[in-house]
Amino acid sequence: MVIGLTGKYCSGKSSIAEEFEKRGFYIIEVDKLGHTALKAKKTEIEKTFGSAVIREGEVSRTALGKIVFKNSKKKEQLEKIVHPVMIGEVEDILKKRQGENILIDAAILAHMGLDKYCNAVIWVDASFLKRLIMALYRDNRGIFFALSRMISQKKLKSNLTRKYVDTYIINNSGDINSLPDKVENILKTINTRK
């Protein structure tokens, strides 16, 4: 079974992914695949965005982020460069681990077209305030950084994947101790609908 996990910035996807990992799921963290894609496409990224995004011979995610999160056209340019690499990596993992329980953790799951590989998708919902507090605590990069990330994802919605697969919602605005039960209940529901 392949389940997609998606939701906005700092909604709590990692905590939910940990619950799936405890239940034997192999986790594909698409964001981490982005690091690999940045290395693989370093020359093209430097040509497109300039040498200011290269620090100590590597693509600086911070410098690149300052450019792309403020400019939707630049963000699209970056996505055209790195998304094919990331999607290819996901496809390779799915082939190698065919028959296993896999969770694809990706904020922009539907945007990348990865939902088509999923038997079900889970959208993690959390209030704006909870996400903002989590961003400030976790990333420690200031309120303007957090708000720019949140604004860049304003078009992300839970219904983007419904044309392909059933989408389930986990509300993560409450007590973190309730997450194991929420994951267990959704897994039972998904298994009965297979």
Side-chain angles (χ1 to χ4, degrees):
M1 172 168 43
V2 179
I3 296 177
L5 181 68
T6 190
K8 293 184 178 182
Y9 173 64
C10 283
S11 58
K13 294 184 298 298
S14 297
S15 299
I16 290 165
E18 284 173 18
E19 289 300 323
F20 276 91
E21 193 169 28
K22 288 176 190 172
R23 288 158 179 78
F25 277 74
Y26 179 82
I27 312 299
I28 301 173
E29 291 181 64
V30 176
D31 190 44
K32 283 191 178 171
L33 299 180
H35 300 209
T36 306
L38 289 177
K39 285 182 182 177
K41 295 292 186 173
K42 183 178 95 169
T43 304
E44 194 174 343
I45 289 167
E46 186 175 5
K47 274 185 198 170
T48 306
F49 299 100
S51 59
V53 300
I54 306 297
R55 307 256 166 91
E56 297 176 13
E58 298 293 332
V59 176
S60 165
R61 295 181 80 210
T62 304
L64 191 57
K66 284 179 182 175
I67 295 168
V68 300
F69 286 114
K70 291 178 184 173
N71 184 321
S72 59
K73 286 185 180 170
K74 297 277 185 191
K75 188 169 173 244
E76 282 175 30
Q77 281 181 298
L78 178 64
E79 288 173 350
K80 283 180 183 168
I81 295 168
V82 297
H83 280 186
V85 177
M86 295 162 75
I87 292 164
E89 289 280 324
V90 171
E91 290 170 342
D92 288 347
I93 294 167
L94 291 175
K95 281 177 194 163
K96 287 176 189 165
R97 295 186 167 270
Q98 201 166 1
E100 293 182 39
N101 286 331
I102 296 172
L103 184 86
I104 303 173
D105 177 358
I108 55 173
L109 185 86
H111 180 68
M112 292 180 75
L114 296 172
D115 53 333
K116 69 184 172 190
Y117 300 112
C118 301
N119 304 106
V121 170
I122 297 170
W123 169 268
V124 185
D125 197 24
S127 69
F128 178 86
L129 184 59
K130 180 167 183 174
R131 292 188 299 115
L132 181 60
I133 290 167
M134 177 55 84
L136 294 172
Y137 173 78
R138 186 190 78 183
D139 294 342
N140 197 26
R141 291 172 75 182
I143 193 162
F144 294 111
F145 174 84
L147 289 172
S148 71
R149 291 292 299 267
M150 293 169 97
I151 289 165
S152 76
Q153 292 184 341
K154 66 184 175 195
K155 291 182 181 176
L156 279 183
K157 294 187 171 67
S158 62
N159 65 354
L160 294 177
T161 59
R162 292 198 180 165
K163 58 190 166 212
Y164 293 114
V165 294
D166 288 337
T167 301
Y168 302 86
I169 297 173
I170 289 182
N171 188 310
N172 192 26
S173 290
D175 180 12
I176 195 160
N177 295 322
S178 66
L179 284 184
D181 288 339
K182 289 178 179 180
V183 168
E184 199 60 46
N185 290 336
I186 279 186
L187 263 175
K188 281 178 187 170
T189 306
I190 292 169
N191 280 319
T192 58
R193 292 192 178 179
K194 277 202 294 185

